[in-house]
Amino acid sequence: MKIKTCAVIGAGTMGSGIAQVAASTSGLNVIMNDIADEFVDKGFNTIIKNLDRLVFRGKLTVAQKGEILGRIRKTTNIEDVGDADFVVEAAIEKLDFKLNIFKDLDKVCKAGVILATNTSSLPITKIAAVTGRPELVIGMHFFNPVPVMKLVEIINGMATSKETFEITRNLAEQFGKTPVEANDSPGFISNRILMPMINEAIYALYEGVGTEEAIDNVMKLGMNHPMGPLELADLIGLDVCLNIMQVLCSSFSDSKYRPCPLLKKYVDAGYLGRKTGKGFFDYSAK
Ligand code: CAA
């Protein structure tokens, strides 16, 4: 089946980024779905803002911006996703929620359509198992900010077919990304490595080894990371970081993944990072 239309479920930070990248790929139509108009509109406005920035910098013409936006169809009706030839789900990271979405997608999507999930740590195999097409379910994990980050981690569930992997890999390349293959294991490759590093940085802060600035500067200036681990945690969202550490800790039954108490405390306080204006750093003035 030739992929002409791609649906993205969830219009948040990741979903809108994926929709932008998909629509910017020549000829691909995008169905952008979320549960309420306000969420779809917010995601669409983020895309407009990003494209405006590209126009301002001379990287895109006004006409090209119009064509990209014209390829995106907004909807809150899951039935509309039935027109898609490929689906990427990027809704909230709650397993029960995702299982329900995949049951619905399995019902409304045409036979043979691949259902990908952008989950950052939930089991692909389990998500696939609630559908009648587990061989067509795969992980397609993008990175924030999606329009900028090159990587797409492609995760094979236990039943994912080779053909599903190849089609997903080709699509990621069509999106201008570099796909890397991983197998289904908690945190896959990316968050198995990244999250314990972030968690350890939070432990270093908790134990008074260094200040926020000192910890981040060590990793930026000594290891050439573009952002320090605490600033990156703020970008990702501290609730997301905590959730992933909890998945690692419970899935491996290994205390080496225990979330730092300070991370829990920040989440309890509602200091979730950039999205709330405060995390390890203050963004209220930005
Ligand atoms: N959306 C679109 N474009 C963006 C953007 C956004 N949110 N943020 C920055 N950009 C673009 C800018 O427009 C700019 O484009 P040009 O080069 O074409 O002018 C470019 O990115 C660089 O931006 P800046 O000059 O403003 O800033 P920078 O050089 O400091 O780079 C950064 C910003 C790309 C975010 C960089 O700091 C970085 O790479 N940080 C690390 C990000 C990272 O590790 N992300 C992965 C998080 S983990 C995850 O997402 C998965 C998970 O499961 C948790």
Side-chain angles (χ1 to χ4, degrees):
M1 181 193 300
K2 187 163 164 37
I3 299 171
K4 291 194 198 127
T5 303
C6 173
V8 182
I9 312 298
T13 308
M14 298 306 285
S16 66
I18 297 166
Q20 179 187 327
V21 166
S24 303
T25 313
S26 60
L28 218 57
N29 296 314
V30 176
I31 301 167
M32 195 168 154
N33 170 270
D34 208 316
I35 51 172
D37 285 331
E38 60 177 307
F39 300 137
V40 187
D41 290 341
K42 191 167 176 228
F44 194 70
N45 289 338
T46 303
I47 297 176
I48 294 175
K49 216 170 70 193
N50 280 343
L51 297 181
D52 280 342
R53 197 165 49 196
L54 293 175
V55 171
F56 181 74
R57 292 187 185 180
K59 295 192 172 176
L60 202 69
T61 65
V62 175
Q64 284 168 327
K65 175 190 142 187
E67 282 164 24
I68 293 168
L69 293 175
R71 282 198 281 272
I72 303 175
R73 189 168 124 212
K74 300 186 280 178
T75 175
T76 53
N77 182 358
I78 193 83
E79 303 275 333
D80 292 340
V81 176
D83 294 336
D85 310 310
F86 192 101
V87 181
V88 186
E89 172 276 325
I92 57 166
E93 283 289 280
K94 290 210 168 37
L95 185 60
D96 288 350
F97 210 84
K98 284 204 197 289
L99 296 182
N100 283 332
I101 291 174
F102 273 77
K103 281 181 202 161
D104 287 345
L105 289 174
D106 194 32
K107 275 188 218 136
V108 302
C109 291
K110 294 174 277 191
V113 167
I114 292 173
L115 308 179
T117 170
N118 178 56
T119 181
S120 48
S121 63
L122 296 172
I124 310 299
T125 304
K126 202 163 181 169
I127 294 171
V130 299
T131 73
R133 58 178 96 191
E135 70 288 356
L136 292 167
V137 176
I138 193 161
M140 194 177 192
H141 185 203
F142 291 80
F143 292 79
N144 184 14
V146 179
V148 180
M149 304 305 282
K150 281 279 163 217
L151 176 65
V152 175
E153 190 177 28
I154 300 185
I155 307 110
N156 295 308
M158 201 167 188
T160 310
S161 71
K162 195 79 200 132
E163 199 190 355
T164 297
F165 172 77
E166 291 302 339
I167 293 169
T168 309
R169 183 175 60 181
N170 286 339
L171 189 66
E173 281 172 353
Q174 204 182 320
F175 287 173
K177 303 295 182 192
T178 304
V180 171
E181 184 175 11
N183 288 318
D184 194 15
S185 174
F188 320 129
I189 298 173
S190 54
N191 282 321
R192 172 85 173 262
I193 299 170
L194 174 67
M195 279 306 153
M197 184 197 72
I198 287 176
N199 196 46
E200 202 58 32
I202 302 169
Y203 266 110
L205 179 68
Y206 182 56
E207 293 168 12
V209 183
T211 62
E212 290 87 345
E213 287 77 13
I215 291 165
D216 272 13
N217 276 336
V218 165
M219 299 308 285
K220 280 195 282 191
L221 306 178
M223 285 77 180
N224 255 356
H225 289 199
M227 277 180 169
L230 300 176
E231 189 189 1
L232 182 55
D234 282 349
L235 174 75
I236 294 168
L238 302 193
D239 52 338
V240 176
C241 295
L242 176 59
N243 187 43
I244 296 172
M245 285 313 294
Q246 284 165 335
V247 168
L248 292 176
C249 196
S250 64
S251 311
F252 287 115
S253 302
D254 188 338
S255 63
K256 82 173 173 181
Y257 298 109
R258 70 200 181 286
C260 178
L262 188 63
L263 174 60
K264 286 186 182 155
K265 208 174 209 178
Y266 271 70
V267 172
D268 285 345
Y271 299 159
L272 306 183
R274 281 197 193 193
K275 61 187 167 190
T276 58
K278 183 165 169 48
F280 293 107
F281 297 95
D282 188 4
Y283 305 90
S284 52
K286 288 178 190 168

